[in-house]
Amino acid sequence: MAPLTITVPASLGTRPVSDTGTLLTWVKSGGRVRFLLPSVVYRPGGDGRPEKPPATYRDYVAYLHEQAGYHANWRDEETTTVGGRVATLLTGTTNEPMDGSFGCPTARADPDKDCFGLQPDYAFRVAVVDAPGRPLVAWTTIDLTQVQNPSAAFTRFEDMLKTLRFR
């Protein structure tokens, strides 16, 4: 993972459940937050083989926009800064699984089990950050079968992003 510091809400606990060179994850009753430096992506509509992820922040945001042609629904997009770097925030939903479309933490990851992308019945608040070296993708998920209005969780995620600093 790109060296960073972040203040995590108490609702997520103090320790991540995964902390590798490419993936940080917090899962607690208060929600789920992930930070990923994708090693590979599985392009919706592609041939099912892993590809190198988009190399720049702008290319990664364009790649997410392309997913609208494959069941991704994006809204509430805004440009901001995270850790002093340009970032794009957007909310996504889908009616079809999009396994691996955000990316995978390793090149050999199983797209159905170890990789990430939009999923039915969930709303995702996604941040794409122009991190040093390559795009950093962060998101929180809300189970829409349990929570009808995800705005409080999305605000908590965005407040968490405001504390991120690259070292």
Short mmCIF file of all heavy atoms in Angstrom, two decimals, residues 38-71:
data_model
loop_
_atom_site.label_atom_id
_atom_site.label_comp_id
_atom_site.label_asym_id
_atom_site.label_seq_id
_atom_site.Cartn_x
_atom_site.Cartn_y
_atom_site.Cartn_z
N PRO A 38 -4.83 -1.50 -7.34
CA PRO A 38 -5.11 -2.68 -8.18
C PRO A 38 -3.86 -3.21 -8.88
O PRO A 38 -3.10 -2.44 -9.47
CB PRO A 38 -6.11 -2.17 -9.21
CG PRO A 38 -6.61 -0.87 -8.70
CD PRO A 38 -5.56 -0.31 -7.80
N SER A 39 -3.66 -4.51 -8.79
CA SER A 39 -2.58 -5.18 -9.52
C SER A 39 -3.04 -5.55 -10.92
O SER A 39 -2.27 -5.48 -11.88
CB SER A 39 -2.13 -6.44 -8.79
OG SER A 39 -1.53 -6.09 -7.56
N VAL A 40 -4.30 -5.99 -11.03
CA VAL A 40 -4.95 -6.28 -12.31
C VAL A 40 -6.41 -5.89 -12.18
O VAL A 40 -6.92 -5.72 -11.07
CB VAL A 40 -4.84 -7.78 -12.72
CG1 VAL A 40 -3.40 -8.18 -12.96
CG2 VAL A 40 -5.51 -8.67 -11.70
N VAL A 41 -7.08 -5.77 -13.32
CA VAL A 41 -8.53 -5.55 -13.36
C VAL A 41 -9.14 -6.56 -14.32
O VAL A 41 -8.45 -7.10 -15.20
CB VAL A 41 -8.90 -4.11 -13.80
CG1 VAL A 41 -8.39 -3.08 -12.81
CG2 VAL A 41 -8.42 -3.81 -15.20
N TYR A 42 -10.41 -6.81 -14.13
CA TYR A 42 -11.19 -7.60 -15.07
C TYR A 42 -12.19 -6.66 -15.71
O TYR A 42 -13.14 -6.23 -15.07
CB TYR A 42 -11.88 -8.77 -14.36
CG TYR A 42 -10.92 -9.87 -14.02
CD1 TYR A 42 -10.13 -9.79 -12.87
CD2 TYR A 42 -10.76 -10.96 -14.86
CE1 TYR A 42 -9.22 -10.80 -12.57
CE2 TYR A 42 -9.86 -11.97 -14.57
CZ TYR A 42 -9.10 -11.88 -13.42
OH TYR A 42 -8.20 -12.88 -13.12
N ARG A 43 -11.92 -6.30 -16.96
CA ARG A 43 -12.72 -5.30 -17.67
C ARG A 43 -14.10 -5.87 -18.00
O ARG A 43 -14.20 -6.93 -18.63
CB ARG A 43 -11.99 -4.90 -18.95
CG ARG A 43 -12.65 -3.78 -19.73
CD ARG A 43 -11.82 -3.39 -20.93
NE ARG A 43 -10.53 -2.85 -20.55
CZ ARG A 43 -10.31 -1.58 -20.22
NH1 ARG A 43 -11.30 -0.72 -20.23
NH2 ARG A 43 -9.10 -1.18 -19.90
N PRO A 44 -15.17 -5.18 -17.59
CA PRO A 44 -16.51 -5.63 -18.00
C PRO A 44 -16.58 -5.66 -19.53
O PRO A 44 -16.10 -4.77 -20.22
CB PRO A 44 -17.43 -4.54 -17.44
CG PRO A 44 -16.67 -3.96 -16.29
CD PRO A 44 -15.23 -4.01 -16.73
N GLY A 45 -17.15 -6.75 -20.05
CA GLY A 45 -17.23 -6.91 -21.49
C GLY A 45 -15.94 -7.41 -22.13
O GLY A 45 -15.87 -7.58 -23.34
N GLY A 46 -14.92 -7.64 -21.28
CA GLY A 46 -13.64 -8.12 -21.79
C GLY A 46 -13.67 -9.61 -22.05
O GLY A 46 -14.71 -10.26 -22.00
N ASP A 47 -12.49 -10.16 -22.27
CA ASP A 47 -12.40 -11.59 -22.61
C ASP A 47 -12.25 -12.49 -21.38
O ASP A 47 -11.97 -13.68 -21.51
CB ASP A 47 -11.25 -11.82 -23.58
CG ASP A 47 -9.89 -11.43 -23.01
OD1 ASP A 47 -9.79 -11.14 -21.80
OD2 ASP A 47 -8.91 -11.42 -23.80
N GLY A 48 -12.42 -11.93 -20.18
CA GLY A 48 -12.34 -12.73 -18.97
C GLY A 48 -10.93 -12.93 -18.44
O GLY A 48 -10.73 -13.64 -17.47
N ARG A 49 -9.96 -12.32 -19.10
CA ARG A 49 -8.58 -12.42 -18.63
C ARG A 49 -8.20 -11.14 -17.90
O ARG A 49 -8.68 -10.05 -18.23
CB ARG A 49 -7.64 -12.66 -19.79
CG ARG A 49 -7.77 -14.06 -20.38
CD ARG A 49 -6.74 -14.32 -21.41
NE ARG A 49 -7.20 -13.67 -22.64
CZ ARG A 49 -6.54 -13.69 -23.78
NH1 ARG A 49 -5.38 -14.28 -23.85
NH2 ARG A 49 -7.02 -13.09 -24.84
N PRO A 50 -7.32 -11.24 -16.92
CA PRO A 50 -6.89 -10.04 -16.20
C PRO A 50 -6.10 -9.11 -17.10
O PRO A 50 -5.40 -9.57 -18.01
CB PRO A 50 -6.04 -10.58 -15.06
CG PRO A 50 -5.56 -11.91 -15.53
CD PRO A 50 -6.63 -12.44 -16.44
N GLU A 51 -6.24 -7.81 -16.85
CA GLU A 51 -5.50 -6.79 -17.59
C GLU A 51 -4.77 -5.90 -16.60
O GLU A 51 -5.16 -5.80 -15.44
CB GLU A 51 -6.46 -5.89 -18.37
CG GLU A 51 -7.30 -6.58 -19.39
CD GLU A 51 -8.26 -5.61 -20.08
OE1 GLU A 51 -8.04 -4.37 -20.00
OE2 GLU A 51 -9.21 -6.09 -20.70
N LYS A 52 -3.74 -5.23 -17.08
CA LYS A 52 -3.10 -4.21 -16.26
C LYS A 52 -4.13 -3.13 -15.96
O LYS A 52 -4.91 -2.77 -16.85
CB LYS A 52 -1.91 -3.59 -16.97
CG LYS A 52 -0.73 -4.51 -17.06
CD LYS A 52 0.45 -3.80 -17.68
CE LYS A 52 1.65 -4.72 -17.68
NZ LYS A 52 2.85 -4.05 -18.16
N PRO A 53 -4.15 -2.61 -14.76
CA PRO A 53 -5.11 -1.54 -14.46
C PRO A 53 -4.71 -0.25 -15.16
O PRO A 53 -3.55 -0.07 -15.54
CB PRO A 53 -5.01 -1.39 -12.94
CG PRO A 53 -3.66 -1.89 -12.60
CD PRO A 53 -3.32 -2.95 -13.61
N PRO A 54 -5.67 0.64 -15.35
CA PRO A 54 -5.32 1.95 -15.89
C PRO A 54 -4.20 2.57 -15.05
O PRO A 54 -4.23 2.52 -13.82
CB PRO A 54 -6.61 2.74 -15.78
CG PRO A 54 -7.69 1.69 -15.82
CD PRO A 54 -7.10 0.52 -15.08
N ALA A 55 -3.20 3.13 -15.72
CA ALA A 55 -1.98 3.57 -15.05
C ALA A 55 -2.08 4.94 -14.39
O ALA A 55 -1.31 5.24 -13.49
CB ALA A 55 -0.81 3.57 -16.03
N THR A 56 -3.04 5.75 -14.84
CA THR A 56 -3.15 7.10 -14.27
C THR A 56 -4.52 7.30 -13.65
O THR A 56 -5.48 6.60 -13.98
CB THR A 56 -2.94 8.19 -15.35
OG1 THR A 56 -4.06 8.16 -16.25
CG2 THR A 56 -1.63 7.99 -16.11
N TYR A 57 -4.58 8.27 -12.78
CA TYR A 57 -5.84 8.65 -12.14
C TYR A 57 -6.91 8.93 -13.20
O TYR A 57 -8.02 8.39 -13.14
CB TYR A 57 -5.58 9.86 -11.24
CG TYR A 57 -6.77 10.74 -11.01
CD1 TYR A 57 -7.74 10.38 -10.08
CD2 TYR A 57 -6.93 11.93 -11.71
CE1 TYR A 57 -8.84 11.18 -9.86
CE2 TYR A 57 -8.03 12.74 -11.49
CZ TYR A 57 -8.98 12.36 -10.57
OH TYR A 57 -10.07 13.15 -10.35
N ARG A 58 -6.59 9.77 -14.17
CA ARG A 58 -7.59 10.15 -15.20
C ARG A 58 -8.05 8.93 -16.00
O ARG A 58 -9.23 8.79 -16.31
CB ARG A 58 -7.01 11.20 -16.13
CG ARG A 58 -6.85 12.54 -15.47
CD ARG A 58 -6.56 13.64 -16.49
NE ARG A 58 -6.03 14.83 -15.90
CZ ARG A 58 -6.69 15.67 -15.11
NH1 ARG A 58 -7.93 15.40 -14.79
NH2 ARG A 58 -6.11 16.74 -14.61
N ASP A 59 -7.11 8.04 -16.34
CA ASP A 59 -7.47 6.84 -17.09
C ASP A 59 -8.34 5.91 -16.25
O ASP A 59 -9.25 5.27 -16.78
CB ASP A 59 -6.23 6.10 -17.58
CG ASP A 59 -5.50 6.84 -18.68
OD1 ASP A 59 -6.08 7.76 -19.29
OD2 ASP A 59 -4.32 6.50 -18.93
N TYR A 60 -8.07 5.84 -14.95
CA TYR A 60 -8.88 4.96 -14.09
C TYR A 60 -10.30 5.51 -13.98
O TYR A 60 -11.27 4.74 -14.05
CB TYR A 60 -8.25 4.78 -12.71
CG TYR A 60 -8.87 3.62 -11.97
CD1 TYR A 60 -8.30 2.36 -12.00
CD2 TYR A 60 -10.08 3.77 -11.30
CE1 TYR A 60 -8.90 1.28 -11.37
CE2 TYR A 60 -10.69 2.70 -10.66
CZ TYR A 60 -10.10 1.46 -10.70
OH TYR A 60 -10.71 0.39 -10.10
N VAL A 61 -10.46 6.81 -13.81
CA VAL A 61 -11.80 7.40 -13.75
C VAL A 61 -12.53 7.15 -15.07
O VAL A 61 -13.71 6.76 -15.07
CB VAL A 61 -11.73 8.91 -13.40
CG1 VAL A 61 -13.10 9.56 -13.53
CG2 VAL A 61 -11.18 9.10 -11.99
N ALA A 62 -11.85 7.31 -16.20
CA ALA A 62 -12.47 7.03 -17.50
C ALA A 62 -12.87 5.56 -17.59
O ALA A 62 -13.95 5.23 -18.13
CB ALA A 62 -11.50 7.41 -18.63
N TYR A 63 -12.03 4.67 -17.07
CA TYR A 63 -12.33 3.24 -17.05
C TYR A 63 -13.62 2.96 -16.26
O TYR A 63 -14.47 2.18 -16.69
CB TYR A 63 -11.13 2.49 -16.47
CG TYR A 63 -11.37 1.08 -16.03
CD1 TYR A 63 -11.54 0.06 -16.96
CD2 TYR A 63 -11.41 0.76 -14.67
CE1 TYR A 63 -11.75 -1.24 -16.56
CE2 TYR A 63 -11.62 -0.55 -14.26
CZ TYR A 63 -11.79 -1.54 -15.21
OH TYR A 63 -12.00 -2.84 -14.80
N LEU A 64 -13.80 3.62 -15.12
CA LEU A 64 -15.04 3.45 -14.37
C LEU A 64 -16.23 3.96 -15.17
O LEU A 64 -17.29 3.31 -15.21
CB LEU A 64 -14.98 4.17 -13.02
CG LEU A 64 -14.06 3.59 -11.97
CD1 LEU A 64 -14.14 4.40 -10.68
CD2 LEU A 64 -14.36 2.12 -11.69
N HIS A 65 -16.08 5.11 -15.83
CA HIS A 65 -17.18 5.64 -16.65
C HIS A 65 -17.57 4.65 -17.75
O HIS A 65 -18.76 4.51 -18.05
CB HIS A 65 -16.79 6.98 -17.26
CG HIS A 65 -16.74 8.09 -16.27
ND1 HIS A 65 -16.00 9.22 -16.49
CD2 HIS A 65 -17.33 8.27 -15.07
CE1 HIS A 65 -16.13 10.04 -15.46
NE2 HIS A 65 -16.94 9.47 -14.58
N GLU A 66 -16.59 3.98 -18.35
CA GLU A 66 -16.87 2.98 -19.39
C GLU A 66 -17.76 1.86 -18.88
O GLU A 66 -18.51 1.25 -19.65
CB GLU A 66 -15.57 2.37 -19.91
CG GLU A 66 -14.71 3.29 -20.72
CD GLU A 66 -13.33 2.70 -20.98
OE1 GLU A 66 -13.10 1.49 -20.72
OE2 GLU A 66 -12.46 3.46 -21.44
N GLN A 67 -17.70 1.56 -17.59
CA GLN A 67 -18.48 0.47 -17.03
C GLN A 67 -19.98 0.74 -17.08
O GLN A 67 -20.79 -0.17 -16.92
CB GLN A 67 -18.02 0.18 -15.60
CG GLN A 67 -16.62 -0.37 -15.56
CD GLN A 67 -16.11 -0.65 -14.16
OE1 GLN A 67 -16.89 -0.79 -13.22
NE2 GLN A 67 -14.81 -0.76 -14.03
N ALA A 68 -20.37 1.99 -17.34
CA ALA A 68 -21.79 2.31 -17.49
C ALA A 68 -22.40 1.54 -18.66
O ALA A 68 -23.60 1.25 -18.66
CB ALA A 68 -21.99 3.81 -17.67
N GLY A 69 -21.60 1.16 -19.61
CA GLY A 69 -22.08 0.36 -20.73
C GLY A 69 -22.28 -1.11 -20.37
O GLY A 69 -22.74 -1.90 -21.20
N TYR A 70 -21.92 -1.49 -19.14
CA TYR A 70 -21.99 -2.88 -18.69
C TYR A 70 -22.67 -2.98 -17.32
O TYR A 70 -22.19 -3.67 -16.44
CB TYR A 70 -20.59 -3.50 -18.64
CG TYR A 70 -19.93 -3.49 -19.99
CD1 TYR A 70 -19.10 -2.45 -20.35
CD2 TYR A 70 -20.19 -4.51 -20.89
CE1 TYR A 70 -18.51 -2.43 -21.61
CE2 TYR A 70 -19.61 -4.49 -22.15
CZ TYR A 70 -18.78 -3.45 -22.51
OH TYR A 70 -18.21 -3.43 -23.75
N HIS A 71 -23.74 -2.25 -17.12
CA HIS A 71 -24.60 -2.33 -15.94
C HIS A 71 -24.19 -1.44 -14.77
O HIS A 71 -24.89 -1.43 -13.76
CB HIS A 71 -24.77 -3.77 -15.45
CG HIS A 71 -25.34 -4.68 -16.47
ND1 HIS A 71 -26.68 -4.70 -16.80
CD2 HIS A 71 -24.75 -5.58 -17.30
CE1 HIS A 71 -26.90 -5.57 -17.75
NE2 HIS A 71 -25.75 -6.13 -18.09
#
